[in-house]
Amino acid sequence: GIQVEQSPPDLILQEGANSTLRCNFSDSVNNLQWFHQNPWGQLINLFYIPSGTKQNGRLSATTVATERYSLLYISSSQTTDSGVYFCAVGSGNTPLVFGKGTRLSVIA
Amino acid sequence: KAGVTQTPRYLIKTRGQQVTLSCSPISGHRSVSWYQQTPGQGLQFLFEYFSETQRNKGNFPGRFSGRQFSNSRSEMNVSTLELGDSALYLCASSPSPGANVLTFGAGSRLTVL
């Protein structure tokens, strides 16, 4: 099955800093989503982005499907951005496969 | 509109017991997926249901089962609970299977003693 690798596994930032999270996947996909899991366990969908670039406020994402990677950019980070960020991919009608996540801690 | 509702949110069971978790999808969503999240294994796919039919099943033992009702609500059951079944069980819904945005519920946190 598809393999998903996320980096870095852990990231500590000062409030106001920018960061880039990476997701590599092993096969072609037609579904790629980024999620944020808050401290209470709720997974929030950030982007549905099997290809191209999208922006939502301070967050943006880019997927280069031909090179099998996606990037999530967080600008001007805030303490509320803390949590775990997951990349999940799928192909055809297969279930989403999740990476192990990047744990982000933003300190004031 | 209401999001994905999972019940119960927290529960404690002992080894050997069984448990049933419920998931009500977003209105109009007919596809429901279940995932197990543990610190060691991360998020692992359990099942996917669409129109009351199981479309996909993850690599879990037969003690894990599920079903979907005609109103798209889904339940999953774990029999003969083991300590390793302690996990956060997450349900997600989408309009249909395939390349669609998944919306997750808040999860059911199961502790097996």
Side-chain angles (χ1 to χ4, degrees), chain A:
Chain A
I2 296 176
Q3 305 296 313
V4 183
E5 289 188 9
Q6 291 186 242
S7 60
D10 295 280
L11 186 59
I12 301 175
L13 295 177
Q14 200 75 31
E15 200 170 27
N18 303 328
S19 61
T20 301
L21 282 57
R22 187 176 180 101
C23 171
N24 292 332
F25 43 96
S26 61
D27 208 343
S28 59
V29 300
N30 66 347
N31 190 346
L32 190 148
Q33 298 180 39
W34 283 97
F35 294 90
H36 174 225
Q37 187 168 42
N38 65 24
W40 297 272
Q42 175 85 54
L43 273 170
I44 305 296
N45 186 286
L46 299 174
F47 294 103
Y48 170 79
I49 188 166
S51 63
T53 297
K54 290 186 177 180
Q55 180 157 7
N56 184 3
R58 296 182 296 102
L59 302 182
S60 63
T62 294
T63 297
V64 184
T66 53
E67 297 187 21
R68 299 180 183 170
Y69 73 88
S70 182
L71 302 174
L72 177 69
Y73 306 96
I74 305 174
S75 64
S76 304
S77 57
Q78 301 175 359
T79 56
T80 51
D81 295 331
S82 297
V84 184
Y85 290 81
F86 289 99
C87 168
V89 304
S91 65
N93 285 326
T94 61
L96 286 184
V97 176
F98 282 76
K100 293 192 179 300
T102 292
R103 182 174 300 275
L104 174 65
S105 299
V106 181
I107 54 179

Side-chain angles (χ1 to χ4, degrees), chain B residues 41-95:
Chain B
Q41 300 298 317
L43 278 149
Q44 293 187 286
F45 170 75
L46 281 159
F47 328 96
E48 180 188 24
Y49 289 91
F50 177 68
S51 293
E52 301 179 66
T53 301
Q54 186 180 89
R55 295 189 68 255
N56 287 294
K57 187 178 191 303
N59 188 24
F60 279 82
R63 301 184 296 106
F64 291 80
S65 62
R67 59 179 173 169
Q68 186 180 36
F69 301 95
S70 59
N71 62 356
S72 295
R73 189 177 71 86
S74 177
E75 287 182 349
M76 66 163 284
N77 183 275
V78 187
S79 63
T80 318
L81 284 166
E82 301 177 359
L83 296 179
D85 297 333
S86 295
L88 179 64
Y89 290 88
L90 291 160
C91 166
S93 77
S94 63

